[in-house]
Amino acid sequence: MRRIVSSLVDGRGFDILLVGVTMLFLLVMAGLPLVYNVLMSFQQVDMFTLGAWVRPWAGWDNYRAVLSQPEFPLVMRNTAVFVFGSIAGQFVLGFAFALFFMLRFPFAATIRGLFLVSWVMPGLVVGAIWSWMLAGDYGVVNAILSGMGLVDRPLFWKSDPGLSIWAVTVANIWLGLAFNMLLLSVGLAAIPRDLYEAAELDGAGAAQRFATITLPMMRSTIGAVLALGLIYTLQQFDLFPAITEGGPANSSNVAQYWAWQWSFQVFDFAKGATVSVMMLAFVLVAAAAYVWSTRSEVRG
Amino acid sequence: MTPQIEISGVDKHYGAYHALKDINLTIPKGRFVALVGPSGCGKSTLLRSIAGLETISSGTMRIAGESMAGVPPRRRDVAMVFQSYALYPHMTVLGNLTYSLRFKQVAKAEARRRADEVASTIGLTQLLHRYPRELSGGQRQRVAMGRAIIREPKAFLFDEPLSNLDAALRVHMRMEIRALHDRLNATSVYVTHDQIEAMTMADHVVVMRDGRIEQQGEPLELYDRPANRFVAGFIGSPAMNFVEGTVEPDGASVRLGLPGGPVLPLGRRAEPGRPVTVGLRPEHLRVDPAGAQMRLTVRAVESTGSMTYTTTESEPELMLVAQGRGGLGPGDAAPLCIDPGNIHLFDRETGLTL
């Protein structure tokens, strides 16, 4: 008895307690729904068996059904455009802004802080604002484009099937820009100044310093930002109901919105679960990349 | 012959702060110059200005005869060894050594040959494929040196390169850097706050304070004939003792503001009645019962075995240092004397040597 008490007091038993509590929390709040979701994707689910664990086994039927949906290729293509377009836009612009704010000018840190406004705003609000700005007839984006002479008639961002996915992607780039900028700024700030000075004395010009010092020193940060960007983009849901609702004719529908439509508009929970499990497999790859890139950090 | 580095009338302002004040310094080729002074004296700013990492506000700076106005660091052909070493953490030792050669269109094989050559000069051959994080402090220091040597630059700039090493290694590297300088027939500017490093390594020592050069010259010249009280106190270890005093009416001796008001003969003429500060180096004060000029009570005796450091109880206290053990203990009255030639006199107001 005294041993148990002292092991709790001297820390080792207490450690186990702490680990136990966290694991229990994770298991109940994240593990269980996850397992339930995966389980559901292999079952036949209808309105009458919603509350049950045990349902008729469906094997791979749900997966086959999802894959043979006529809109499946379109949704996958849209998801790819949305994810890669968003990540590329957020990363390139975020890096550019991060580099810009490394220049020491008055109020640089304060102005950089203001950029976070985009990040703290609810997605639905951001979606509503962009929806308004991208409106075909009275939107400010069209006004600017035609004012600059770039287009001769208004672009119908939300109702043109060729543009709708880009409308959501642009809004998402704006939404994620600050987060990318912030993480990349932290990475940039961690590079010692004298490395740049040494490189400068060694004869490296600005572009060469960027290629030989900044990029390699930022490798782990860039890996983390890209992996997190992928995860957050696949999580992005709010913008779709606010801007296009996946339309017109699924032209801006993506996997995460499609899964929601299956479950909560068609009430086919099995297919909704199936789509989300397919996404989960993909995100796991990104998560693994993230863990790997933060593990192999370069430390001087 | 054109001096390798020529600095004249250089000033540097950071906003309202005047970091360098009218700096004039000429460094012939092959010279080893130490910039020394307390922190904030401007020695690092001067070094970084030579490198081009700081822009000078006015004055001219020439390297090998060419004006450096508007010349960026990468076109100055000078190499710098940083206090932090600033090794590229994502490159091996080989990568660090050959980094500068990339920008000079040196062929890979030639770069490798030169890296091998430099590595064998400074004993890094076994470490070429290691990363900086896998090296000890001393090894990193060598890589930083190697990175400078491989470039065969017009000048080597050292920014307190030894301050991150332990004492024993520091003494060793001191000699090694100096030997390397001689072997390469290099021109070196070496910043340090450690006057011993400056005295032992350099041909020419520049003592700075508050952005100004207080005195420059050969190390022993600075020791023997300091221009003012600051240089006198800065050069030499332990530091010179300073005592207020007044020149006696005869103009040939000085009365010290110490218990008993001892009078020391000067062996030269001085203005009678003039208030002065008298400088007495600890190693020049001798214990001599026969020829005692003053008797001061001993407060503490510290011995390292070979040397004995004695402090007196007087106000101001005097430190004296002698070889061997000495027979004094705390509370004893120490009979002290000093040769007239070793007495330094400074103006009490301006601090200038009289």
Side-chain angles (χ1 to χ4, degrees):
Chain A
M1 185 64 205
R2 264 190 57 181
R3 250 189 50 160
I4 297 172
V5 170
S6 74
S7 84
L8 271 173
V9 173
D10 71 14
R12 242 184 310 162
F14 191 58
D15 290 349
I16 294 168
L17 184 72
L18 289 178
V19 172
V21 168
T22 359
M23 289 311 288
L24 189 71
F25 181 84
L26 276 178
L27 221 60
V28 171
M29 304 306 280
L32 219 55
L34 207 67
V35 171
Y36 188 68
N37 198 40
V38 175
L39 185 68
M40 237 180 5
S41 73
F42 290 102
Q43 289 177 329
Q44 293 173 27
V45 187
D46 57 39
M47 296 300 283
F48 305 102
T49 57
L50 259 186
W53 274 94
V54 184
R55 307 185 187 97
W57 187 252
W60 293 96
D61 284 355
N62 288 323
Y63 289 86
R64 272 190 286 272
V66 164
L67 288 172
S68 60
Q69 289 294 322
E71 67 267 36
F72 178 79
L74 180 62
V75 171
M76 287 303 114
R77 193 194 73 93
N78 287 340
T79 310
V81 168
F82 180 66
V83 166
F84 292 108
S86 295
I87 293 179
Q90 289 173 355
F91 178 75
V92 171
L93 289 174
F95 210 154
F97 274 107
L99 288 169
F100 176 72
F101 281 113
M102 288 306 283
L103 304 173
R104 288 174 188 164
F105 55 90
F107 305 112
T110 317
I111 300 171
R112 182 168 58 193
L114 286 178
F115 268 76
L116 283 182
V117 168
S118 73
W119 190 51
V120 299
M121 282 230 270
L124 277 170
V125 175
V126 173
I129 294 171
W130 275 96
S131 181
W132 185 47
M133 294 202 305
L134 289 168
D137 29 22
Y138 57 84
V140 70
V141 173
N142 275 334
I144 291 170
L145 289 178
S146 64
M148 289 168 71
L150 291 172
V151 295
D152 42 11
R153 58 200 151 74
L155 296 172
F156 287 87
W157 290 97
K158 295 183 292 178
S159 51
D160 184 335
L163 291 176
S164 55
I165 187 64
W166 291 104
V168 192
T169 305
V170 166
N172 192 43
I173 288 173
W174 184 84
L175 195 62
L177 179 63
F179 180 71
N180 276 253
M181 181 192 74
L182 203 71
L183 284 194
L184 292 167
S185 291
V186 172
L188 282 176
I191 303 175
R193 252 202 129 53
D194 52 14
L195 286 190
Y196 288 110
E197 291 180 343
E200 210 176 338
L201 283 165
D202 271 348
Q208 289 157 334
R209 291 198 294 274
F210 182 77
T212 59
I213 306 290
T214 311
L215 281 184
M217 292 292 290
M218 291 280 283
R219 204 189 63 183
S220 62
T221 310
I222 291 172
V225 167
L226 292 180
L228 284 176
L230 179 64
I231 290 166
Y232 287 149
T233 307
L234 283 173
Q235 282 180 357
Q236 179 50 254
F237 179 82
D238 306 357
L239 292 176
F240 290 91
I243 300 177
T244 63
E245 297 184 40
N250 283 323
S251 65
S252 65
N253 206 353
V254 292
Q256 61 266 40
Y257 194 67
W258 200 37
W260 176 80
Q261 283 179 327
W262 276 119
S263 293
F264 300 106
Q265 286 190 326
V266 188
F267 298 111
D268 189 338
F269 289 96
K271 291 211 182 64
T274 305
V275 173
S276 52
V277 169
M278 290 160 86
M279 290 176 66
L280 175 70
F282 189 65
V283 170
L284 278 181
V285 176
Y290 172 68
V291 170
W292 175 81
S293 70
T294 50
R295 273 170 69 106
S296 61
E297 291 196 338
V298 179
R299 282 283 165 259
Chain B
M1 202 176 107
T2 342
Q4 192 72 350
I5 299 177
E6 201 177 3
I7 298 163
S8 59
V10 163
D11 278 72
K12 165 80 185 165
H13 300 266
Y14 290 106
Y17 180 62
H18 202 167
L20 293 178
K21 298 167 187 164
D22 190 28
I23 301 292
N24 294 287
L25 178 60
T26 303
I27 304 174
K29 195 169 162 38
R31 195 67 69 86
F32 196 115
V33 173
L35 305 180
V36 67
S39 44
C41 71
K43 55 191 192 295
S44 283
T45 307
L46 180 56
L47 190 80
R48 292 170 57 83
S49 302
I50 297 172
L53 297 171
E54 306 282 348
T55 328
I56 55 176
S57 309
S58 60
T60 58
M61 189 170 284
R62 292 172 180 280
I63 296 178
E66 280 176 61
S67 166
M68 286 295 119
V71 178
R74 64 199 172 91
R75 304 227 180 283
R76 294 196 174 198
D77 195 17
V78 295
M80 187 151 161
V81 178
F82 291 80
Q83 181 175 7
S84 63
Y85 314 139
L87 300 183
Y88 310 123
H90 54 293
M91 298 179 198
T92 59
V93 170
L94 181 64
N96 270 280
L97 290 178
T98 55
Y99 182 75
S100 61
L101 302 180
R102 291 192 207 182
F103 309 111
K104 288 183 174 172
Q105 276 74 48
V106 175
K108 245 199 157 95
E110 166 70 4
R112 179 63 208 249
R113 193 189 60 74
R114 277 168 72 175
D116 283 335
E117 198 179 298
V118 168
S120 71
T121 310
I122 51 178
L124 287 173
T125 307
Q126 304 303 315
L127 306 171
L128 278 178
H129 297 288
R130 297 262 191 98
Y131 283 91
R133 63 176 174 275
E134 302 166 330
L135 303 178
S136 71
Q139 290 167 336
R140 289 180 200 192
Q141 219 282 328
R142 279 165 201 273
V143 179
M145 301 268 300
R147 200 169 62 176
I149 294 169
I150 201 167
R151 291 180 43 196
E152 297 167 3
K154 293 201 181 98
F156 289 92
L157 308 178
F158 297 91
D159 190 3
E160 309 220 11
L162 303 184
S163 51
N164 288 340
L165 300 179
D166 63 62
L169 199 52
R170 201 150 58 210
V171 172
H172 177 72
M173 287 307 290
R174 209 153 80 188
M175 290 190 289
E176 209 163 301
I177 290 177
R178 178 68 221 212
L180 212 52
H181 167 92
D182 292 337
R183 185 140 36 109
L184 299 171
N185 191 27
T187 307
S188 304
V189 184
Y190 188 102
V191 161
T192 177
H193 62 267
D194 180 351
Q195 54 99 11
I196 296 187
E197 259 176 39
M199 297 289 282
T200 51
M201 295 174 78
D203 309 311
H204 189 85
V205 176
V206 178
V207 181
M208 295 182 69
R209 180 175 61 155
D210 291 339
R212 222 182 280 282
I213 293 181
E214 293 283 331
Q215 189 178 3
Q216 51 177 311
E218 286 174 29
L220 293 183
E221 187 187 325
L222 264 55
Y223 176 88
D224 291 335
R225 287 182 294 281
N228 55 42
R229 189 185 151 159
F230 172 77
V231 175
F234 195 81
I235 302 289
S237 173
M240 187 184 271
N241 299 295
F242 293 106
V243 183
E244 307 283 87
T246 315
V247 180
E248 287 286 274
D250 63 3
S253 55
V254 64
R255 182 177 291 276
L256 299 182
L258 284 170
V263 174
L264 304 182
L266 285 172
R268 60 191 147 124
R269 305 293 306 169
E271 185 190 325
R274 181 168 188 165
V276 294
T277 302
V278 182
L280 309 169
R281 289 205 183 273
E283 55 273 32
H284 291 155
L285 285 166
R286 285 180 290 115
V287 176
D288 183 357
Q293 294 165 319
M294 50 187 149
R295 288 181 190 276
L296 298 172
T297 315
V298 172
R299 194 183 65 200
V301 178
E302 295 166 314
S303 182
T304 61
S306 61
M307 306 289 279
T308 302
Y309 300 83
T310 309
T311 332
T312 67
E313 220 171 61
S314 56
E315 179 58 44
E317 67 174 34
L318 295 188
M319 156 83 81
L320 53 139
V321 58
Q323 284 224 309
R325 306 288 162 98
L328 294 169
D332 292 349
L336 299 177
C337 70
I338 187 163
D339 292 336
N342 289 331
I343 298 174
H344 298 266
L345 291 186
F346 307 97
D347 186 283
R348 211 186 276 177
E349 297 297 318
T350 63
L352 292 176
T353 299
L354 297 175

